[in-house]
Amino acid sequence: MHLIDKILECIFIPSCGMCGRLGEGYLCEKCSKELKKYMIYNDIDKEKINKFHIFTYENIVRDLILNYKFNDKPYLYKTFCEIIVKNKKIMDFIKSYDIIIPVPMHKKKIRIRGYNQSELIAREIAKNTNIKLANDVLIKVKNNEVQSSLNKLEREENIKDVYKVINGEKLYNKNVLIFDDIYTTGATINSCIAELEKNSIKKLGVLTLAKD
């Protein structure tokens, strides 16, 4: 834990991101048990690119993610990270990679929201492992329409030529993990994969909080 985190925790007692309970970290035992009902972390696709989805996107999981993204609650990244770092199956999957890349947001959307929800979690994962955060490799060059408002075909068209790799030399012969919050049709992830695969990557994988 960094010094600033220790200082903040001395001033502000960590509270559960779901129920607000104090003194049990960022996710209390009761809420942790409730969330486990929605875990599908054994849902690993044995394909060329492994995709690891932690939760189903429904009920309390959906509410928690929507609050995190759209209701100005960036601190909830601590709750999600507590779920991740305390789960051996998830951590074993993560530790097989060298680099973690959060799906990027366009700079205009970051200015509006104030943060990239995927990057906050990816950064915390990197702090708790030997995996390196690379948030300067994959960038979003087009401020496209929000994917959630579109159907599958529209999403695929909307996401074309949206991402670009810079500093591609950092990916050479590396095991690269892409991180995003929600996996729906796969259009966003597939667009990122297509761009990243143009580089000399050893292995490519995907980790998401929830699968819709």
Side-chain angles (χ1 to χ4, degrees):
M1 184 183 293
H2 290 187
L3 178 60
I4 187 64
D5 292 328
K6 291 181 179 179
I7 293 171
L8 287 172
E9 288 197 0
C10 287
I11 300 171
F12 304 104
I13 300 174
S15 62
C16 176
M18 291 181 63
C19 70
R21 187 190 303 268
L22 297 175
E24 292 189 37
Y26 296 97
L27 183 67
C28 73
E29 185 176 349
K30 181 180 178 182
C31 291
S32 179
K33 287 180 180 178
E34 188 65 24
L35 279 173
K36 283 179 181 177
K37 297 175 184 177
Y38 301 94
M39 274 190 161
I40 54 167
Y41 51 71
N42 60 344
D43 182 30
I44 303 176
D45 301 330
K46 296 297 184 182
E47 301 172 354
K48 179 183 176 183
I49 297 174
N50 279 356
K51 300 181 183 71
F52 194 121
H53 313 295
I54 300 172
F55 294 106
T56 57
Y57 186 62
E58 58 182 343
N59 300 329
I60 58 174
V61 173
R62 182 178 183 275
D63 292 343
L64 197 60
I65 292 176
L66 290 178
N67 272 330
Y68 176 49
K69 291 177 68 171
F70 302 116
N71 292 335
D72 197 25
K73 295 184 178 181
Y75 56 84
L76 286 176
Y77 84 92
K78 288 280 191 179
T79 298
F80 289 117
C81 288
E82 193 146 325
I83 296 164
I84 292 168
V85 302
K86 289 186 176 181
N87 188 291
K88 187 178 185 300
K89 286 186 179 180
I90 301 171
M91 290 301 282
D92 285 347
F93 177 76
I94 290 170
K95 288 175 180 178
S96 66
Y97 294 88
D98 307 307
I99 294 172
I100 185 167
I101 297 178
V103 170
M105 288 173 60
H106 193 272
K107 57 187 178 181
K108 288 184 179 179
K109 287 186 179 176
I110 291 179
R111 281 200 295 267
I112 293 170
R113 185 174 300 171
Y115 56 95
N116 177 343
Q117 71 279 353
S118 294
E119 183 174 336
L120 289 181
I121 296 173
R123 185 179 297 278
E124 192 73 4
I125 290 171
K127 282 168 58 177
N128 284 275
T129 61
N130 291 324
I131 193 170
K132 184 177 180 181
L133 175 72
N135 59 352
D136 60 346
V137 172
L138 187 66
I139 62 171
K140 192 168 187 179
V141 294
K142 289 184 180 179
N143 188 24
N144 60 331
E145 192 173 344
V146 177
Q147 289 283 89
S148 59
S149 63
L150 307 174
N151 63 38
K152 184 176 180 179
L153 290 176
E154 289 170 337
R155 287 179 187 223
E156 291 174 357
E157 188 64 31
N158 184 53
I159 207 72
K160 284 182 179 179
D161 302 318
V162 166
Y163 300 104
K164 180 183 178 182
V165 169
I166 58 174
N167 302 316
E169 68 278 0
K170 294 185 178 183
L171 304 176
Y172 179 74
N173 204 32
K174 298 293 185 182
N175 297 324
V176 178
L177 181 63
I178 308 169
F179 177 77
D180 203 8
D181 53 357
I182 306 167
Y183 186 99
T184 305
T185 65
T188 296
I189 287 294
N190 289 338
S191 182
C192 292
I193 288 171
E195 189 63 27
L196 288 166
E197 282 187 323
K198 296 175 183 178
N199 299 266
S200 301
I201 292 172
K202 186 177 181 181
K203 181 176 75 170
L204 193 57
V206 173
L207 175 68
T208 66
L209 284 180
K211 183 178 182 180
D212 194 0

